[in-house]
């Protein structure tokens, strides 16, 4: 066996040889830029896992020395291992030059070398909006999920002075199966801040530091302290303790409580302003090793969803789900465009964002008394009833209201209309304040339709929908002396407009990487959500904002994801025998699709009814999910078959499951993956029939049950279910059925996507609903 020598010894050995031979050997040091890479190692060539269960960087340092030739080892700076992965992947992250990465990729010991990438970060009333009650339904059935640990991969946590993370005397000690804990650093005293609610807190920053420098993570780089606010908000949404009289100033006052108030929180800090994929994978690795039950991931790739074998969040999530851990992930905030959803692998529980029945209106009242309702969290001194001059930002120096670009002599004492883009919403209001303006009106984008984004402004400001902004702009341009005021109406709870409605920013299907897999899966509250906030950052995240608050109100699929993470924790406790796929199935097939007015859930981007590519299978209904009747199950082997059906090579599949071959899975199709929804893609101009199969398992209390199918066919398709009736018994708990989708008249549809559903119902109370989404080739969509 070849002796493994450290790099310094190899260099000394080369000098000795040169002297002995009497020849001059110059070992040239080359300089080439480094980047961070994740190296997936074939398991038969990976270092043996030690008794402690985790490899150190030292073992993979030896791997590098074994697999890089001397000339590539001598690059300056030297290659450096950042992380070793034992559970979320098999391999390591390292700083390498392009030449080193290419050499490793050509090695038979390496499955793939993937560049490290930066990913982006994507409640008081929501428990009651979701129907969670301590007296009935899922909450008492799960005992609040006291035996469940939710791992949160985010920006850290700020527990000091935050009752959401306080020790709960009614909670028993953390479950013995949990093996994690809290680190202590100069800014985070783990022994004092962690308790029977916050049971874990660790930080992973090597990828971030390598990409952006140590200043990007601060002096205390090992600290899990949240200096941003995002992680504190998401973790308290998922499992924060009950806190009376929580509010953002006077907005949204009430009892704040997480979805799973008895569940424990373990924070894995992998994000600062952004999140390095290598740090995310290290967080998955640690969370799996620690023994969490649910992982909440409110982050995702920038741009189109990457190939799954290049998506380290997908790789880590696959390994977690294979261990029985539910992984809930945000769909992204890139809506309302098509195919913008991220985290779209079938093993994710992918969550979109929608509204609740609460708003924070602030009306723009023009000089002619025309009134346009906007939204705001401005908490300072309101404007008076007397109207003041109104101007358009483009006429006074900056249409987007950039700091330092507004003409103070033309802005002083006036309200300024600002358009979207370039700078943050809160910064626009700050620009008006610094220029001496009386207030600001922020225009939303045209793509957002009826939605304007609520912000915690430090100056009298409201945000209005694009159509309202156009009318206000027209008023300014047609009046000699336009005037206005802003009337702040505080917190309003009610049925107007109906709720829920899909947020315009919520990312949409169809699935960019696997069109045969329906995404997103469900929607949940993600607009104007109140939850705990850091004491290290202002609510606007502006340096000029010196306010510090215990709670903040923000929006995003980052907010909807932890709602579902908490609900998944409740289901894991109430139904411990269910797999992650069964939990997802229960949430999807029991979701509802009508709003408070009895109409299909609306889409704020269009003003019309939303489609399943926006709302997924529908809005989560926790109390129905605990008793879904039937579930569509899937496990590791099913996910491997899915990857093979995508046409991935054996080496690409081995990134997820080492030693796996696709040769025994020939003929598998993506459409046959046992998903609780149907995504059908017609690619031909000719009449075509697509057939998909599903298997359902009876999990109802009545082991002898009969379910009958009811079909709502999408436009242009004839849907046939066979058999139309499923019989279950104690001896027959699962049944298979097939669905054929036949084009009726090619070219008869007038939309690129048409939708329907299949509903299985029994003689009792169960209705098991699966949405159908059909995608048509452009050549078959008739002009209207």
């Amino acid at each position: 066996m070849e002796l493994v020598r450290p790099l310094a010894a190899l260099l000394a050995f080369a000098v000795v040889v040169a002297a002995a031979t009497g020849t001059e050997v110059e070992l040239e040091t080359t300089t080439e830029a480094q980047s961070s890479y994740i190296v997936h190692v074939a398991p038969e060539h990976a270092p043996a896992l030690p008794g402690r269960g985790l490899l150190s960087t030292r073992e993979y340092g030896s791997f590098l020395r074994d697999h890089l030739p001397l000339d590539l080892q001598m690059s300056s700076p030297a290659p450096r291992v950042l992380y070793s992965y034992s559970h979320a992947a098999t391999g390591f992250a390292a700083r390498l030059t392009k030449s080193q990465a290419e050499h490793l990729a050509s090695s038979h010991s390496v499955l793939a070398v993937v560049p490290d990438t930066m990913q982006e970060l994507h409640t008081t009333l929501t428990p009651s909006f979701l129907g969670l009650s301590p007296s009935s339904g899922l909450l008492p059935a799960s005992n609040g999920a006291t035996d469940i640990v939710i791992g949160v991969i985010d920006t850290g946590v700020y527990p000091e002075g935050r009752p959401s993370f306080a020790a709960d005397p009614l909670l028993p000690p953390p479950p013995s199966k949990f093996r994690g804990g809290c680190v202590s650093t100069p800014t985070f005293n783990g022994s004092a801040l962690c308790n029977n609610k916050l049971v874990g807190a660790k930080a992973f920053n090597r990828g971030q530091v390598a990409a952006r420098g140590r200043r990007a993570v601060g002096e205390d780089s090992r600290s899990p302290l949240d200096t941003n606010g995002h992680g504190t908000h998401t973790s308290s949404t998922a499992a924060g303790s009950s806190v009376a009289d929580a509010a953002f100033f006077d907005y949204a006052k009430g009892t704040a409580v997480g979805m799973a108030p008895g569940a424990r929180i373990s924070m894995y800090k992998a994000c600062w302003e952004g999140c390095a994929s290598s740090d995310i994978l290290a967080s998955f690795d640690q969370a799996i090793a620690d023994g969490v039950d649910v992982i909440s991931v409110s982050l995702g790739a920038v741009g189109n969803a990457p190939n799954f074998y290049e998506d380290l969040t997908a790789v880590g999530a696959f390994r977690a789900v294979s261990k029985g851990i539910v992984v809930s992930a945000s769909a992204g905030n890139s809506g309302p465009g098509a195919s913008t959803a991220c985290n779209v692998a079938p093993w994710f529980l992918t969550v979109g964002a929608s509204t609740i029945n609460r708003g924070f209106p602030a009306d723009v009242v023009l000089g002619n008394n025309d009134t346009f309702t906007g939204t705001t969290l401005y908490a300072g001194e309101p404007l008076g009833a007397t109207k003041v001059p109104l101007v358009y930002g483009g006429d006074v120096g900056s249409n987007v209201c950039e700091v330092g670009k507004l003409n103070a002599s033309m802005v002083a004492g006036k309200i300024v209309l600002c358009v979207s883009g370039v700078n943050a919403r809160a910064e626009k209001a700050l620009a008006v304040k610094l220029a001496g303006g009386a207030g600001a009106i922020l225009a939303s984008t045209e793509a957002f339709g009826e939605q304007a984004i609520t912000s915690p402004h430090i100056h009298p400001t409201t945000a209005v929908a694009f159509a309202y902004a156009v009318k206000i702009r027209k008023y300014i341009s047609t009046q000699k002396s336009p005037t206005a005021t802003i009337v702040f109406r505080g917190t309003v709870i009610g049925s107007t407009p109906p709720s829920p409605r899909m947020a315009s920013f919520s990312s949409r299907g169809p699935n960019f990487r696997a069109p045969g897999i329906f995404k997103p899966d469900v929607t949940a509250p993600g607009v104007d959500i109140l939850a705990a906030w850091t004491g290290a950052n202002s609510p606007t995240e502006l340096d000029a904002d010196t306010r510090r608050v215990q709670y903040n109100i923000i929006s995003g699929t980052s907010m909807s994801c932890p709602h579902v993470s908490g609900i998944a924790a409740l289901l894991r406790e109430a139904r411990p025998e269910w797999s992650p796929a069964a939990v997802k199935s229960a949430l999807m097939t029991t979701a509802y699709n009508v709003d408070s007015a009895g109409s299909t859930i609306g889409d704020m981007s269009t003003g019309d009814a939303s489609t399943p590519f926006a709302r997924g299978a529908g809005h989560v209904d926790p109390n129905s999910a605990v008793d879904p009747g039937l579930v569509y199950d899937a496990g590791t082997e099913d996910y491997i078959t899915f990857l093979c059906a995508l046409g991935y090579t054996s080496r690409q599949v081995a990134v997820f499951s080492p030693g796996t071959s696709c040769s025994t899975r020939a003929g598998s199709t993506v459409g046959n993956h046992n998903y609780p929804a149907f995504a059908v893609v017609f690619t031909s101009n000719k009449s075509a029939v697509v057939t998909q199969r599903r298997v359902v398992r009876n999990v109802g209390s009545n082991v002898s049950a009969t379910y009958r199918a009811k079909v709502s066919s999408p436009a242009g398709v004839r849907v046939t279910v066979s058999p139309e009736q499923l019989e279950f018994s104690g001896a027959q708990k699962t049944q298979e059925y097939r669905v054929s989708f036949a084009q009726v008249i090619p070219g008869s549809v007038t939309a690129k996507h048409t939708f329907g559903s299949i509903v299985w119902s029994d003689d009792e109370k169960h209705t098991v609903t699966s949405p159908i989404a059909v995608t048509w080739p452009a050549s078959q969509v008739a002009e209207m």
Side-chain angles (χ1 to χ4, degrees), residues 387-558:
K387 299 179 179 69
V388 299
L390 173 66
V391 295
Y392 169 55
D395 296 332
V396 293
S398 173
N399 64 340
V400 295
C401 297
E402 289 186 84
V403 171
K405 293 188 177 181
L406 292 172
N407 187 324
S409 64
M410 302 174 72
V411 170
K414 300 173 183 177
I415 294 175
V416 183
L417 173 65
C418 310
V419 302
S420 62
V422 179
N423 53 346
R425 294 180 299 274
E427 189 176 313
K428 297 176 190 294
L430 174 63
V432 173
K433 178 183 180 180
L434 294 176
I441 302 167
L442 308 187
S444 186
T445 64
E446 186 172 10
F448 272 27
E450 297 179 353
Q451 184 170 26
I453 303 298
T454 310
S455 298
H457 297 290
I458 60 175
H459 198 55
T461 302
T462 187
V464 298
F466 179 82
Y468 290 169
V470 170
K471 293 178 180 180
I472 295 169
R473 173 77 178 94
K474 183 176 181 181
Y475 167 78
I476 294 171
S477 64
T478 57
Q479 298 294 311
K480 184 176 181 180
S481 300
T483 61
T485 190
I486 303 172
V487 178
F488 301 93
R489 293 199 276 135
T491 303
V492 175
I493 298 173
S495 58
T496 303
S499 60
R501 292 191 295 167
M502 290 308 303
S504 301
F505 59 75
S506 188
S507 293
R508 316 296 168 102
N511 191 321
F512 181 78
R513 281 296 163 196
I517 296 295
F518 180 90
K519 289 288 177 175
D521 295 316
V522 291
T523 188
V527 176
D528 296 342
I529 304 303
L530 179 83
W533 193 250
T534 179
N537 199 4
S538 69
T540 60
E541 301 182 50
L542 294 175
D543 291 339
D545 185 359
T546 59
R547 300 174 299 172
R548 294 297 182 266
V549 296
Q550 285 199 346
Y551 295 89
N552 199 6
I553 297 172
I554 55 178
S555 299
T557 55
S558 282

Side-chain angles (χ1 to χ4, degrees), residues 30 34 89 102 148 178 359 361 470 528 558 601 639 729 737 741 751:
T30 61
Q34 281 188 332
E102 289 174 345
I148 301 298
F178 181 67
V470 170
D528 296 342
S558 282
I601 293 172
Y639 296 129
S729 65
Y737 70 93
F741 305 90

Side-chain angles (χ1 to χ4, degrees), residues 736-756:
E736 178 180 326
Y737 70 93
R738 294 177 180 271
V739 186
S740 64
F741 305 90
Q743 297 184 42
V744 178
I745 303 174
S748 64
V749 296
T750 57
K752 187 175 181 180
H753 309 289
T754 57
F755 305 95

Side-chain angles (χ1 to χ4, degrees), residues 87-242:
H87 301 281
T90 302
F92 60 98
R95 294 290 286 176
L96 303 168
T97 65
K98 182 179 179 183
S99 299
Q100 291 164 343
E102 289 174 345
H103 183 86
L104 288 173
S106 67
S107 169
H108 69 282
S109 300
V110 173
L111 297 172
V113 178
V114 180
D116 197 2
T117 58
M118 295 300 293
Q119 301 194 28
E120 59 187 1
L121 294 165
H122 290 162
T123 103
T124 57
L125 186 65
T126 48
S128 60
F129 183 81
L130 289 164
L132 288 171
S133 166
S135 60
S136 62
L138 177 58
L139 203 55
S142 64
N143 193 31
T146 56
D147 288 333
I148 301 298
V149 179
I150 302 176
V152 181
I153 300 176
D154 215 295
T155 63
V157 63
Y158 193 98
E160 185 172 2
R162 300 299 182 267
S164 295
F165 305 103
D168 187 340
L170 299 179
L171 277 181
S176 58
K177 63 184 178 182
F178 181 67
R179 299 177 293 276
C182 296
V183 300
S184 287
T185 75
T187 62
F188 193 94
N189 185 345
S191 60
L193 295 173
C194 291
N195 48 50
N196 62 353
K197 166 56 69 173
L198 180 62
V199 298
K202 299 174 182 177
F204 303 88
N205 60 44
R206 296 171 191 168
Q208 185 89 210
V209 171
R212 301 177 59 212
R214 188 160 296 279
R215 291 184 63 184
V217 301
E219 293 182 5
D220 189 7
S221 59
R222 292 179 54 249
S223 174
L225 186 73
D226 182 11
T227 57
N228 174 281
H230 191 273
T232 302
H233 199 282
T234 57
S235 55
S236 63
T237 298
S241 298
S242 180

Side-chain angles (χ1 to χ4, degrees), residues 363-394:
D363 299 333
V364 177
V365 183
L366 301 180
N368 60 6
N369 288 324
D370 283 353
T371 301
F372 303 98
T373 298
T375 181
T376 191
L377 291 168
Y378 171 66
E381 195 69 26
L383 297 178
T386 302
K387 299 179 179 69
V388 299
L390 173 66
V391 295
Y392 169 55

Side-chain angles (χ1 to χ4, degrees), residues 627-638:
D627 184 18
L630 306 177
V631 295
Y632 296 78
D633 211 346
T636 303
E637 288 300 311
D638 301 290

Side-chain angles (χ1 to χ4, degrees), residues 278-296:
S278 56
D279 296 335
I280 295 170
L281 192 60
S283 298
F284 269 107
D285 206 58
Q286 188 65 60
I288 295 169
D290 287 348
V292 303
D293 302 283
V294 176
I295 295 178
S296 188

